[in-house]
Amino acid sequence: MNLKETYNKIARDWFTDHNDDDWWVEGTNKLISLLPPSAEVLDVGCGAGHKTAYLTKHGFRVTGADFSEEMVKIAREQLPSLEFKVLDLYEVDTVGKVFDCVFAQAVFLHIPKKDVLGIFQKVKKILKEGGVFYIAVKEQHEGAPDEKVEVENDYGYEYERFFSYYSVPELEKFFSNAGLGVIYSSVTPVGKTRWLQMIAKI
């Protein structure tokens, strides 16, 4: 089962399970402070639309996009007044418009590192001059692999997902190689996971 099929399968359970996450709030609020009023934001890998709603409440014009049809279906059910697209991150530059911000939370952690720079460059194409790019990924544990497939059964059935893990310098290098300058970085521990949040600007 590929990643898209996995997320289509677990979408309803994932939506319920992640309703109360809050590790992302500090970094996202920092992003909000950097954006102009009524900024246009692409929430790519939006899942069920939790952060799409959060950003919208702060006055931004947000478009949600996810490759999982089931996730987009839930997002549309929850937020019928907002725009959601079925769109793969690999095709982000085909979205058809440019944005003040691309928001990619817990998305690049599913992308093989060999593909990351190419996608960063596609993101840059759809950013307005002075636009910002936010991402959140998981930090690599010392001595642990930086890429692996994890088999999980949190919801009473087995499923698997590919993950990539990063260090702060490694992530900064990806931004630099794509011609983007990092303006914010933070690490937030949640249980055994350490979330890296980073914002870069053209």
Side-chain angles (χ1 to χ4, degrees), residues 100-174:
D100 297 291
C101 170
V102 172
F103 181 84
Q105 191 171 91
V107 182
F108 278 90
L109 48 72
H110 292 313
I111 300 297
K113 291 185 179 181
K114 65 180 178 62
D115 298 337
V116 168
L117 179 58
I119 298 174
F120 272 29
Q121 290 168 336
K122 289 181 178 182
V123 167
K124 188 178 178 183
K125 289 179 183 177
I126 61 167
L127 281 174
K128 298 176 184 178
E129 187 60 38
V132 295
F133 179 23
Y134 163 105
I135 79 167
V137 293
K138 293 182 178 182
E139 185 178 52
Q140 182 184 0
H141 291 295
E142 188 174 345
D146 68 339
E147 295 185 325
K148 68 176 179 177
V149 173
E150 292 195 6
V151 178
E152 301 163 277
N153 59 2
D154 308 32
Y155 308 133
Y157 51 86
E158 193 170 278
Y159 60 97
E160 61 180 42
R161 294 181 292 171
F162 171 87
F163 283 94
S164 54
Y165 303 91
Y166 296 81
S167 68
V168 170
E170 180 181 29
L171 208 51
E172 288 174 339
K173 187 174 182 181
F174 275 119

Side-chain angles (χ1 to χ4, degrees), residues 5 7 33 39 66 70 98-99 104 133 145 168 178 181 183 185:
E5 290 169 342
Y7 270 107
S33 75
D66 201 282
E70 287 300 313
V98 292
F99 297 87
F133 179 23
V168 170
I183 57 174
S185 178

Side-chain angles (χ1 to χ4, degrees), residues 179-196:
L180 296 160
V182 174
I183 57 174
Y184 172 83
S185 178
S186 71
V187 180
T188 306
V190 182
K192 295 179 180 179
T193 300
R194 287 168 58 86
W195 285 99
L196 307 184

Side-chain angles (χ1 to χ4, degrees), residues 85-102:
K85 298 175 179 287
V86 177
L87 181 72
D88 194 294
L89 182 60
Y90 283 86
E91 299 168 351
V92 68
D93 56 334
T94 68
V95 69
K97 62 190 292 188
V98 292
F99 297 87
D100 297 291
C101 170
V102 172

